[in-house]
Amino acid sequence: MLRRTIQLVLSIVMIMTATVGGMLATAAPAQADECYTWGRTLSEGMSGSDVTQLQIRVAGHVDYGEILSVDGNFGPRTKAAVTKFQQAYGLAADGVAGSQTFSKIYALQDPDCTPIHFTYAELNKCNSDWSGGAVSAATAKSNGLRTMWKLEALRHAMGDVPITVSSGFRSNSCNSAVGGASNSRHLYGDAADLVGSPSFCQLAQRARYHGFGGIFGPGYPDHNDHTHVDGRTSRSWSAPNCGV
């Protein structure tokens, strides 16, 4: 009798342990592999480096002509961008970045934090270390990452049709070699010349909804064979043949 009682108690303990363990496993936040992991739910009114990381990834989900400030402060515009990101990927759209939102971001990024459809190599065909431009190598590379996340939003909005970057970051020497403007945004690492299956006009028109301050395409001098987008903080658009 005593032996049966002990076995019963042990069985109950094992079941409870397994149940609690399963609950903990279910409740644990999704982890980003080798990249960035958020440790808390983010909502309006919060601030910090984790908000900055979130803003980088949702900055392409904004209204027409809007440019989201990546400043680490979760304000109304960040909430709106998070909401649009959630809507774009079929999530509950409440503007609060929690486990579902972070899990989707993790699924969209590679271990180096670039979005899955773009790479540092594609954004920098000039050199291997992002040096020699108008800003430090670290800043140029950081700008390149921000550009890629906007491009990922643009790509998704266009039906996940592949978009190819023909030119991204340029050092001063690379820029001179291709006859780029002396003040080209390519020198800052936040510009991309786009080619590929969507028409140049489709790219220019749609880019207006994804946080790009600079958009130049068909009808603008020397831009009939690509659409240029960049991260300048004030709006400058010109693609006359496309109504932009």
Side-chain angles (χ1 to χ4, degrees), residues 40-47 51 54 73-75 79 95-97:
R40 59 175 180 163
T41 295
L42 299 176
S43 59
E44 188 172 1
M46 301 176 75
S47 62
V51 175
L54 175 65
N73 296 310
F74 199 126
K79 179 179 180 179
V96 176

Side-chain angles (χ1 to χ4, degrees), residues 59-60 62-68 77 150 154 185 200-221 223 227-244:
V62 291
D63 290 330
Y64 177 96
E66 183 181 4
I67 300 171
L68 181 67
R77 296 174 77 181
K150 292 180 182 180
L154 170 64
R185 294 304 309 185
F200 304 139
C201 279
Q202 286 177 313
L203 289 167
Q205 292 162 351
R206 188 65 220 183
R208 297 174 296 178
Y209 297 86
H210 296 287
F212 293 106
I215 303 172
F216 302 98
Y220 186 78
H223 286 71
T227 289
H228 167 101
V229 295
D230 66 52
R232 70 188 67 194
T233 56
S234 58
R235 189 192 306 179
S236 182
W237 297 348
S238 183
N241 295 355
C242 309
V244 176

Side-chain angles (χ1 to χ4, degrees), residues 36-102:
Y36 186 86
T37 300
W38 284 267
R40 59 175 180 163
T41 295
L42 299 176
S43 59
E44 188 172 1
M46 301 176 75
S47 62
S49 60
D50 49 358
V51 175
T52 299
Q53 291 296 324
L54 175 65
Q55 289 171 325
I56 289 170
R57 289 156 177 79
V58 301
H61 297 270
V62 291
D63 290 330
Y64 177 96
E66 183 181 4
I67 300 171
L68 181 67
S69 296
V70 179
D71 58 6
N73 296 310
F74 199 126
R77 296 174 77 181
T78 297
K79 179 179 180 179
V82 171
T83 301
K84 284 183 175 293
F85 174 88
Q86 293 166 333
Q87 291 170 335
Y89 289 101
L91 306 176
D94 58 5
V96 176
S99 59
Q100 286 191 337
T101 300
F102 296 140

Side-chain angles (χ1 to χ4, degrees), residues 73-160:
N73 296 310
F74 199 126
R77 296 174 77 181
T78 297
K79 179 179 180 179
V82 171
T83 301
K84 284 183 175 293
F85 174 88
Q86 293 166 333
Q87 291 170 335
Y89 289 101
L91 306 176
D94 58 5
V96 176
S99 59
Q100 286 191 337
T101 300
F102 296 140
S103 291
K104 187 59 190 180
I105 292 175
Y106 298 150
L108 286 172
Q109 68 186 6
D110 285 324
D112 63 356
C113 294
T114 59
I116 54 177
H117 296 107
F118 298 93
T119 66
Y120 280 120
E122 187 174 13
L123 265 288
N124 180 4
K125 300 175 183 178
C126 172
N127 58 37
S128 61
D129 61 6
W130 298 79
S131 65
V135 292
S136 71
T139 297
K141 188 174 183 179
S142 176
N143 288 343
L145 180 65
R146 297 183 185 198
T147 300
M148 282 186 271
W149 278 101
K150 292 180 182 180
L151 292 176
E152 186 70 26
L154 170 64
R155 185 187 191 279
H156 184 63
M158 299 187 76
D160 288 314

Side-chain angles (χ1 to χ4, degrees), residues 167-189:
S167 181
F169 167 74
R170 301 174 191 160
S171 66
N172 282 291
S173 58
C174 287
N175 191 56
S176 295
V178 298
S182 60
N183 62 344
S184 171
R185 294 304 309 185
H186 290 277
L187 297 168
Y188 295 82

